[in-house]
Amino acid sequence: MTSSTADVVIVGAGFGGMYMLHKMRGLGLRAIVLERATGVGGTWYWNRYPGARCDVESMQYSYSFDPQLQQEWNWSERFASQPEILSYANHVADRLDLRRDIRFETSVTSAAYDEASQSWMVGTDGGDTVTARFCVMATGCLSTSRQPDFPGLSNFKGKTYHTGHWPHEGVDFTGKRVGVIGTGSSAIQAIPVIAEQAAHLTVFQRTPNFSIPTRNKAMDGAYEGWWKKDYPKHRNLARTLRAGVITNLNDMSALSVDAAERQRVYEDRWALGGTSFMASFNDLSVNKASNDTAAEFVRSKIRATITDPAVAEILLPHNHPIGTKRICVDSHYYETYNRPNVSLVDVRNSPIETITADGVMVAGREYPVDIIVFATGFDAMTGTLVGINPHGRDGATLAEEWEAGPRTYLGLMSAQFPNLFMITGPGSPSVLSNMIVSIEQHVDWVSDCIAYMNRNGLTAIEPRRDAQDAWVEHVNEMAFRTLYPTANSWYMGANIPGKPQVFMPYIGGVGAYRVKCDDVAAKGYEGFELGAGQARAAAE
Ligand code: NAP
């Protein structure tokens, strides 16, 4: 058990924590990173399930802060696989010599603000404490996996895995009967790969999803060259866009063209592949009638792909507008249901009853399996933060403050928790954007803020409650201008029983959000209370 002091304690060594550490060193500050994994990479460290791949093009999914770094790294595919992204994270850690300030296999179990010394005391599972003036939660948005409490699970004789906690040594499905529970983004990527290996694969689907073919391919040298030639220009453009991704938005309503033209546009986007399908027209996320045209197009593709019409019927998404649950991307997902060794079980109206010793029981029938893969998602955006449950000023706890849903100012800080920053916290564009673009924006903003405080002899910063209330209201109002809140998505907290149903990310767009954050800083951190602590000076 040790106790250490630093200027900044950072929780998490994913892309957020790594860049934060680098920036703090740049300010001449001592930072310590606490990371529960054995290595860097965050989400890309944990989600090693077969088929895991990023849905943002690799030329756009990397750090932009170091010109040489972005020039020297070569991506091998249009959409990078998990192992390649993890190699990239390790490359960055090596190149910036980050590991010497990261404590691996260290889970944070507590974080408490000491008002007298204006510092955070962060406790770990090993009994260690790190005390620092600033605490930065770079804990990720999808880092607390969720496994439903199926009755009988402990009786199961086979092996179980969660996509978000995949074993490093991999899983051999050869000759096995495998059950996959869930059909979200993770399952949709894993299912085609597992089906190729397994003796039989049974997919248990509660809600069908919309998925677009990825059309992944080897990196085209000319395309890579185009990006690298003008990388700063492209990065700057991405920072001004809605999702922080250059997607070639077709800036017209789906209803402004006739049916034949609409079909042509959708066919082109379908052939192109990837999430840019949602940029086919400019109103798919706000106009239900427009959205219906895109949804029906994808349903027609599903019908055309699946040989058995009864199976196709089960796979057709009908209960949410396309894109309001995170759009999925796949490599041969729908085709997989034409394989003789794959079957689909609809558990929408007949939920999984129990897990037996030998399988999964649905509607009184046992589906025998040797392995169960839980692709059941995450307690997104708030799960990890509330799990740590920071104790702030005047006895406030994050769990209580966020009881009715997360409350932040700009997704960066929460009232009652001075000097506690969140990287891509709820109330910021985060999961609706290219995460690396949003991570860099937050880390830059927080670093500038800490530098400003140090320059001005300020020792504490905290959002004012009125500023926070106004931001929460704005986040909510913006969400309800769109179709997003109509879906039972994890964006709404709907996947976790009892979780408050609040639309958590900020949908106003990465570009507009950046302007707002910069404006707040330019106005001397408008909406924040900044103080110079005599108490800290006395304590030191
Ligand atoms: P998810 O989207 O939350 O999907 C979880 C799945 O499990 C859903 O199909 C859900 O059904 C099902 N499920 C949960 N509880 C169940 C139960 N009791 N019985 C039956 N089914 C149950 O989780 P995910 O697939 O891990 O993806 C989470 C997010 O991670 C994505 O939305 C995306 O943002 C990110 N991700 C991205 C990529 C990529 O970049 N390509 C890949 C993977 C993940 P319901 O829908 O009915 O709740």
Side-chain angles (χ1 to χ4, degrees):
M1 285 173 22
T2 62
S3 82
S4 334
T5 54
D7 297 304
V8 186
V9 56
I10 300 166
V11 186
F15 283 112
M18 287 167 66
Y19 183 38
M20 194 73 218
L21 169 59
H22 178 63
K23 288 287 285 191
M24 293 301 93
R25 285 182 183 170
L27 293 181
L29 299 177
R30 162 107 175 101
I32 294 175
V33 182
L34 304 174
E35 167 57 59
R36 67 189 157 131
T38 60
V40 298
T43 208
W44 298 104
Y45 172 95
W46 294 105
N47 288 269
R48 300 168 183 242
Y49 60 84
R53 189 177 290 287
C54 189
D55 60 3
V56 175
E57 280 197 12
S58 35
M59 292 313 297
Q60 307 202 47
Y61 195 79
S62 60
Y63 287 126
S64 71
F65 66 82
D66 181 331
Q68 201 190 329
L69 178 64
Q70 67 186 3
Q71 287 297 333
E72 77 194 12
W73 184 262
N74 297 316
W75 296 104
S76 68
E77 295 176 276
R78 179 182 172 202
F79 292 99
S81 66
Q82 174 272 331
E84 193 166 26
I85 301 173
L86 191 57
S87 314
Y88 171 71
N90 278 291
H91 168 74
V92 175
D94 290 340
R95 197 160 162 303
L96 304 179
D97 188 19
L98 296 178
R99 287 193 191 79
R100 66 186 154 87
D101 287 322
I102 305 175
R103 297 187 187 167
F104 293 106
E105 295 182 84
T106 302
S107 287
V108 168
T109 49
S110 65
Y113 186 67
D114 177 51
E115 290 178 51
S117 61
Q118 291 180 303
S119 42
W120 280 91
M121 269 171 279
V122 174
T124 73
D125 54 351
D128 299 336
T129 310
V130 180
T131 304
R133 181 181 302 167
F134 298 103
C135 176
V136 179
M137 292 293 184
T139 41
C141 296
L142 295 160
S143 44
T144 294
S145 59
R146 173 186 173 259
Q147 184 167 309
D149 195 11
F150 292 110
L153 182 57
S154 58
N155 300 328
F156 184 58
K157 287 196 304 211
K159 292 249 193 271
T160 63
Y161 304 96
H162 191 288
T163 48
H165 278 278
W166 205 257
H168 287 205
E169 62 280 13
V171 178
D172 184 6
F173 294 105
T174 313
K176 304 285 188 201
R177 296 165 304 174
V178 183
V180 171
I181 300 180
T183 48
S185 297
S186 303
I188 280 177
Q189 290 186 325
I191 282 167
V193 186
I194 297 174
E196 279 178 12
Q197 259 189 40
H200 193 89
L201 169 63
T202 308
V203 177
F204 298 89
Q205 174 192 269
R206 187 164 67 185
T207 309
N209 256 308
F210 293 96
S211 187
I212 312 294
T214 307
R215 313 251 183 246
N216 186 38
K217 56 184 179 188
M219 180 57 70
D220 177 304
Y223 185 62
E224 183 183 16
W226 178 83
W227 272 95
K228 287 195 171 175
K229 188 162 164 288
D230 269 324
Y231 234 145
K233 188 178 105 191
H234 303 315
R235 301 289 204 180
N236 275 334
L237 173 63
R239 291 183 191 118
T240 66
L241 301 175
R242 200 178 61 81
V245 185
I246 299 176
T247 50
N248 193 16
L249 171 73
N250 182 18
D251 200 7
M252 52 172 60
S253 164
L255 305 180
S256 67
V257 296
D258 64 22
E261 171 61 7
R262 242 188 340 258
Q263 184 74 10
R264 189 196 63 74
V265 171
Y266 288 140
E267 289 287 2
D268 282 357
R269 295 277 173 161
W270 186 261
L272 177 68
T275 57
S276 78
F277 181 82
M278 291 308 294
S280 297
F281 294 101
N282 67 8
D283 58 349
L284 298 184
S285 63
V286 292
N287 182 329
K288 179 67 167 56
S290 293
N291 186 287
D292 284 345
T293 65
E296 191 43 41
F297 175 85
V298 175
R299 284 192 288 264
S300 75
K301 290 293 184 191
I302 299 172
R303 282 192 204 95
T305 308
I306 310 280
T307 338
D308 181 341
V311 174
E313 201 52 43
I314 301 172
L315 285 166
L316 296 180
H318 276 295
N319 84 339
H320 60 282
I322 184 169
T324 55
K325 283 188 168 203
R326 169 74 164 218
I327 190 87
C328 302
V329 294
D330 70 274
S331 297
H332 314 297
Y333 173 64
Y334 294 115
E335 294 90 319
T336 298
Y337 292 95
N338 294 335
R339 295 176 64 107
N341 69 332
V342 175
S343 40
L344 177 65
V345 179
D346 184 355
V347 297
R348 174 137 220 97
N349 297 319
S350 304
I352 293 169
E353 288 159 8
T354 50
I355 307 286
T356 64
D358 303 304
V360 179
M361 187 73 84
V362 178
R365 174 175 167 192
E366 185 184 70
Y367 295 85
V369 292
D370 308 304
I371 294 176
I372 300 176
V373 173
F374 293 103
T376 43
F378 300 86
D379 185 350
M381 305 205 71
T382 56
T384 307
L385 292 165
V386 170
I388 294 172
N389 195 18
H391 285 45
R393 227 169 22 81
D394 299 331
T397 67
L398 200 73
E400 281 169 8
E401 290 287 320
W402 288 12
E403 205 169 10
R407 300 191 72 77
T408 69
Y409 181 38
L410 301 171
L412 282 160
M413 298 190 85
S414 199
Q416 299 288 121
F417 301 89
N419 296 2
L420 182 87
F421 295 101
M422 290 167 273
I423 303 302
T424 66
S428 74
S430 57
V431 292
L432 298 176
S433 70
N434 180 342
M435 284 304 293
I436 299 194
V437 170
S438 288
I439 283 169
E440 285 193 329
Q441 186 249 335
H442 265 193
V443 170
D444 289 342
W445 192 96
V446 172
S447 307
D448 289 349
C449 176
I450 290 175
Y452 172 90
M453 290 176 68
N454 287 348
R455 270 198 316 276
N456 291 285
L458 300 165
T459 48
I461 180 168
E462 181 187 338
R464 286 207 325 263
R465 208 169 268 280
D466 60 336
Q468 174 169 293
D469 289 348
W471 183 252
V472 170
E473 198 178 313
H474 175 62
V475 170
N476 210 31
E477 189 215 317
M478 292 298 281
F480 278 88
R481 286 189 201 174
T482 74
L483 301 170
Y484 277 81
T486 63
N488 288 326
S489 65
W490 59 257
Y491 297 137
M492 290 291 292
N495 63 327
I496 306 291
K499 189 166 174 171
Q501 307 258 315
V502 173
F503 191 78
M504 294 184 286
Y506 177 58
I507 208 166
V510 159
Y513 172 79
R514 174 184 295 269
V515 169
K516 169 71 182 169
C517 291
D518 289 350
D519 188 50
V520 162
K523 289 178 175 153
Y525 294 91
E526 187 181 48
F528 289 95
E529 212 66 75
L530 288 109
Q534 297 304 317
R536 185 179 174 86
E540 279 175 348

